[in-house]
């Protein structure tokens, strides 16, 4: 055991914050890409990987759903991080001095109202914490960063304004990934995530989903994405409430198998309390 957890981005990223909240006793291990974080876990360089899957404002995180099924990793937990955005600048800077703000394009889009009201132009950076690091290195009072307070702490920046996001409920959901699956029932409310491909028969998806409706299983997510560069090969990603050993979930999954050519349980894990 290494005691480390991998995430994509620089120290101070929101994924780093998710690591601190969900696994406070582990050492964060920054990686350049999602693939690097997955490989670090798969190779044993780290014990776990923290991966963002969706944001309440912008929807699913690009590429993640296509990476997960072939990753060889399994979901053992989920975490929800409230995305509070701060305006960070070099020490001693006044808000009126800031003319430009740098961040990831998604974060820039979440602070349009604040930037417009203060006549601050947006500058696209590689990521949030990386933008904070760049602002600290440049030392220009006219250039600020949009990132977390944690990034401000790490890179020695002043917080000029807090919680400037347009959406007050802006939240990102993360999955904690491990090399080993854990199917134990370790909470009262469990979640199960799986992928599947339907058989090439009429109304296959409708019939596959019917088992969840008739057995009273709540499906909280169902998404489709193309695989192998083909318009005809579609894989589905689903989250349901319950454990595979629950009688109603077992019946629904058995019915799913009858109408699918492939299916794979990616993880069974406790539902985060913030889900409700």
């Amino acid at each position: 055991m290494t005691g480390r957890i991998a995430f994509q981005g620089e120290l101070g990223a929101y994924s780093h914050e998710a690591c601190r909240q969900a696994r406070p006793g582990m050492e964060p291990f920054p990686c350049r890409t999602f693939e690097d974080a997955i490989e670090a876990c798969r190779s044993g360089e780290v014990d776990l990987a923290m991966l963002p899957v969706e944001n309440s404002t912008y929807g699913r995180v690009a590429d993640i759903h296509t990476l997960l099924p072939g990753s060889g990793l399994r979901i053992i937990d989920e975490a929800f991080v409230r995305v509070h955005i701060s305006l960070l600048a070099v020490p001693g800077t006044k808000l009126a001095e800031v003319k430009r703000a740098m961040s990831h394009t998604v974060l820039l889009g979440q602070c349009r109202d604040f930037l417009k009201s203060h006549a601050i132009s947006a500058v696209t950076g590689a990521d949030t914490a990386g933008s904070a690091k760049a602002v600290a290195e440049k030392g220009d009072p006219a250039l600020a960063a949009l990132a977390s307070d944690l990034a401000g702490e790490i890179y020695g920046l002043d917080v000029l304004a807090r919680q400037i996001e347009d959406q007050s409920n802006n939240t990102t959901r993360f999955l904690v990934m491990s090399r080993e699956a854990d199917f134990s029932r370790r909470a009262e409310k469990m979640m199960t995530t799986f992928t599947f491909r339907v058989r090439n028969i009429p109304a296959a998806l409708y019939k596959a989903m019917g088992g969840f409706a008739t057995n009273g299983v709540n499906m909280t997510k169902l998404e489709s994405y193309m695989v192998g560069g083909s318009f005809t090969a579609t894989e589905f990603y689903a989250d349901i409430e319950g454990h595979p050993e629950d009688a109603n979930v077992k019946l629904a999954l058995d019915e799913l198998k009858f109408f699918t050519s492939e299916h794979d349980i990616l993880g069974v894990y406790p539902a985060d309390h913030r889900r409700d």
Side-chain angles (χ1 to χ4, degrees), residues 88-92 132 136 149-159:
L88 310 173
V90 293
D149 281 6
L150 176 59
E153 277 178 43
I154 291 172
Y155 300 111
L157 300 174
D158 283 355
V159 178

Side-chain angles (χ1 to χ4, degrees), residues 14-29:
Y14 289 98
S15 293
H16 179 192
E17 196 166 307
C19 292
R20 293 216 313 183
Q21 288 185 24
R23 293 296 188 275
M26 299 188 75
E27 177 189 351
F29 185 82

Side-chain angles (χ1 to χ4, degrees), residues 72-232:
L73 303 180
R74 289 293 180 259
I75 305 166
I76 62 165
D77 210 349
E78 68 175 351
F80 289 82
V81 172
R82 178 70 177 79
V83 181
H84 288 305
I85 304 172
S86 293
L87 184 73
L88 310 173
V90 293
T93 301
K94 304 298 183 187
L95 179 56
E97 296 178 81
V98 176
K99 305 302 178 187
R100 293 167 290 132
M102 178 188 292
S103 194
H104 187 280
T105 181
V106 169
L107 226 65
L108 292 171
Q110 293 174 5
C111 300
R112 287 195 183 99
D113 292 346
F114 178 87
L115 296 180
K116 184 178 179 181
S117 66
H118 291 85
I120 298 172
S121 59
V123 178
T124 302
D127 56 49
T128 59
S131 296
K133 184 178 181 181
V135 166
E137 290 171 348
K138 290 179 185 298
D140 180 4
L143 178 65
L146 298 175
S148 65
D149 281 6
L150 176 59
E153 277 178 43
I154 291 172
Y155 300 111
L157 300 174
D158 283 355
V159 178
L160 303 187
R162 283 189 170 89
Q163 299 186 22
I164 61 174
E165 58 273 9
D166 297 336
Q167 299 292 330
S168 61
N169 62 343
N170 190 13
T171 302
T172 298
R173 179 184 177 222
F174 292 83
L175 297 177
V176 181
M177 311 294 295
S178 172
R179 289 184 299 281
E180 302 295 330
D182 183 355
F183 285 2
S184 65
R185 193 187 298 273
R186 49 201 187 277
E188 182 177 345
K189 184 176 180 180
M190 298 291 290
M191 300 293 297
T192 299
T193 294
F194 57 93
T195 59
F196 65 93
R197 294 189 199 182
V198 294
R199 294 169 56 198
N200 189 22
I201 57 175
L205 179 60
Y206 173 80
K207 293 173 181 175
M209 294 296 94
F212 295 94
T214 56
N215 287 289
V217 178
N218 186 27
M219 182 169 288
T220 60
K221 177 170 290 297
L222 177 64
E223 294 190 343
S224 64
Y225 55 96
M226 291 186 298
V227 291
S230 170
F231 285 102
T232 57

Side-chain angles (χ1 to χ4, degrees), residues 31-69:
C31 297
R32 189 177 63 85
T33 65
F34 293 132
E35 290 91 340
D36 290 343
I38 289 170
E39 183 55 35
C41 186
R42 188 162 48 192
S43 69
E45 190 174 7
V46 302
D47 297 326
L48 303 174
M50 179 71 72
L51 300 175
V53 288
E54 57 193 327
N55 176 268
S56 60
T57 303
Y58 277 83
R60 73 181 182 188
V61 176
D63 299 333
I64 282 294
H65 290 76
T66 55
L67 290 173
L68 290 183

Side-chain angles (χ1 to χ4, degrees), residues 200-273:
N200 189 22
I201 57 175
L205 179 60
Y206 173 80
K207 293 173 181 175
M209 294 296 94
F212 295 94
T214 56
N215 287 289
V217 178
N218 186 27
M219 182 169 288
T220 60
K221 177 170 290 297
L222 177 64
E223 294 190 343
S224 64
Y225 55 96
M226 291 186 298
V227 291
S230 170
F231 285 102
T232 57
T234 302
E235 189 148 303
F236 293 87
Y237 174 103
D239 293 336
I240 59 172
E241 293 180 354
H243 189 283
E245 293 177 356
D246 294 341
N248 62 333
V249 174
K250 187 177 187 304
L251 288 170
L253 291 175
D254 285 344
E255 193 163 337
L256 174 76
K257 294 174 187 176
F258 185 77
F259 296 105
T260 57
S261 58
E262 295 179 30
H263 62 274
D264 184 25
I265 293 181
L266 295 183
V268 180
Y269 50 96
D272 188 285
H273 70 279

